Amino acid sequence: MSYSFTQKISGIFLKPTNTFRDLEEERLGTALFHFLKLSVLFSLLMTVTLYTLPGIPITKKWSMASQVFQPLDLFAALLVVTVVTPLIIGVWLHVWVYLLGGRRGIGQTLKTAMYSYTPFFIITWIPIIGLFGGAVSTLYPQTVGIRELHHISSRRAAGAVCAAAFLPVVALFGVIVMAFIAPVPMLSFLTAGVGSPATPDCPYLLDDADLPGSIVHYAAAEVENAIISRDAKEYGCLKEYTATYAEEKPSSATSRRIQHFIMIFPPGNASMMVQSDEAFYRGLVPPRNADELPAPGIGDRCISYRAPGLGSSANGAYDSYCIIFAKGDVYEKFITVGPSPDYDLLKDLAGRAAAKIP
């Protein structure tokens, strides 16, 4: 049976069993062409919505994306992600399909993966459940598609889909748990020879002696060159360090924390990096705007901003403050993280840090 574009969408969403049976003999290229059209339509609608209706609930969580990317860039990025992701998932899914008895070829699995994203493109637009609900909605049509196109039992099809979907989640959860609860010696062993030492050799980082009594040194590291920001690299960033200061150690989600970033530049470029950050903050628009504050007189160039409602907690939304300055060849940024931000403390720490620079 030949299906039109809209019939495939409604069929996968409402009658997946019959639809997959009818599409069993369809060529992979035809399925890929249908999926490309659906991906282009979704990416185009999402891009138009982000740039024309930024206040609706669907797009509030995407607002930063619309400020970082130009419309054409965002459209291209969304299109690449929506096309490539199901294909990668399809290859991974086929490993489990084959292990559980599916022998009809990887083409049938890729067809299933592409068609199973039809509910995702629809449910993603629904407020609250959004991306999570859309991702979960792909599991049922995947199970039906694997069962019908590979001619295996429902139990085996569901086992393949669940293994492909949840094993990576379990592995990621295990890594996160280890990162939070594993003893420090174990983490040191696991990361031996990888990355930077826990206490980098940077004379501009604040240590316990530099901190006020209410704040403790939580963590510090040297940032690997590969993940230094593109803007910083354009100005010739030589080194980057980061540190976190907190009210307590270990720091809880309700604890006041401050992040500290340090970059070393060639002569004159540290102030240019501050100018770049200033242009970024001034270019932000609601709902993710930033209010310029009177900057403390620190270093050669200093700016200060408040980002209203940047985070949320059980007590409601909270603001985030930042102070950025350049002194000589050193660029430093201080940002409050978490509820109850303390701008006076931020200014105090920024002043202490500036005093450490000759």
Side-chain angles (χ1 to χ4, degrees):
M1 178 180 178
S2 178
Y3 279 77
S4 67
F5 178 73
T6 55
Q7 284 175 331
K8 286 182 179 180
I9 294 175
S10 60
I12 295 296
F13 198 82
L14 301 174
K15 299 178 180 179
T17 299
N18 292 335
T19 303
F20 274 116
R21 286 175 181 171
D22 292 337
L23 296 175
E24 181 176 353
E25 300 303 323
E26 182 182 62
R27 300 171 67 176
L28 179 60
T30 303
L32 179 60
F33 183 65
H34 167 86
F35 180 68
L36 287 175
K37 291 193 294 183
L38 190 60
S39 299
V40 169
L41 180 61
F42 171 80
S43 301
L44 180 61
L45 289 175
M46 181 63 77
T47 301
V48 170
T49 304
L50 283 171
Y51 285 92
T52 58
L53 301 171
I56 65 175
I58 298 170
T59 58
K60 284 183 177 179
K61 293 183 179 179
W62 293 74
S63 59
M64 283 300 291
S66 64
Q67 294 164 6
V68 174
F69 293 101
Q70 294 299 314
L72 187 59
D73 295 333
L74 179 61
F75 169 75
L78 282 173
L79 182 59
V80 170
V81 170
T82 53
V83 171
V84 172
T85 300
L87 296 178
I88 295 175
I89 290 175
V91 173
W92 169 243
L93 173 61
H94 187 68
V95 173
W96 296 99
V97 171
Y98 189 86
L99 290 174
L100 291 174
R103 295 295 187 270
R104 301 278 292 177
I106 191 172
Q108 298 288 28
T109 308
L110 291 176
K111 280 167 54 177
T112 299
M114 289 187 290
Y115 281 124
S116 70
Y117 267 74
T118 300
F120 170 84
F121 290 132
I122 298 173
I123 295 177
T124 298
W125 295 89
I126 301 176
I128 301 177
I129 63 174
L131 288 174
F132 177 77
V136 172
S137 71
T138 65
L139 300 181
Y140 177 69
Q142 279 182 17
T143 302
V144 174
I146 294 301
R147 182 189 68 200
E148 298 300 327
L149 300 188
H150 280 278
H151 299 176
I152 60 177
S153 67
S154 296
R155 181 176 298 179
R156 292 192 175 207
V161 170
C162 290
F166 296 118
L167 281 181
V169 175
V170 172
L172 178 62
F173 179 75
V175 171
I176 294 174
V177 169
M178 285 190 63
F180 280 96
I181 69 173
V184 173
M186 180 181 294
L187 290 178
S188 300
F189 170 75
L190 292 174
T191 58
V194 180
S196 304
T199 53
D201 183 17
C202 176
Y204 310 123
L205 286 170
L206 300 177
D207 53 34
D208 290 334
D210 300 314
L211 297 173
S214 59
I215 295 294
V216 297
H217 183 274
Y218 182 66
E222 179 178 342
V223 177
E224 294 184 8
N225 183 68
I227 58 175
I228 293 176
S229 71
R230 183 177 63 182
D231 290 343
K233 288 182 177 179
E234 289 180 354
Y235 292 115
C237 179
L238 304 173
K239 290 283 187 180
E240 182 178 0
Y241 304 90
T242 179
T244 302
Y245 314 114
E247 287 183 310
E248 55 187 356
K249 187 175 182 180
S251 177
S252 66
T254 59
S255 173
R256 179 185 297 121
R257 287 161 287 156
I258 292 176
Q259 290 185 321
H260 182 194
F261 300 90
I262 299 173
M263 296 183 187
I264 313 299
F265 287 94
N269 287 12
S271 292
M272 295 173 64
M273 186 66 193
V274 176
Q275 289 178 334
S276 176
D277 284 351
E278 185 174 30
F280 169 77
Y281 280 108
R282 287 181 174 178
L284 295 178
V285 296
R288 183 54 63 233
N289 58 300
D291 303 323
E292 187 171 0
L293 302 175
I298 299 175
D300 306 321
R301 185 179 184 88
C302 182
I303 60 174
S304 180
Y305 284 86
R306 177 180 69 91
L310 186 64
S312 61
S313 66
N315 297 323
Y318 56 81
D319 300 340
S320 177
Y321 295 88
C322 77
I323 295 176
I324 305 171
F325 69 88
K327 185 176 180 181
D329 303 335
V330 182
Y331 160 100
E332 302 202 24
K333 178 194 291 186
F334 285 84
I335 303 176
T336 63
V337 180
S340 304
D342 189 336
Y343 183 63
D344 291 331
L345 174 62
L346 199 70
K347 290 193 293 185
D348 181 26
L349 293 181
R352 292 170 186 250
K356 294 176 70 72
I357 305 174

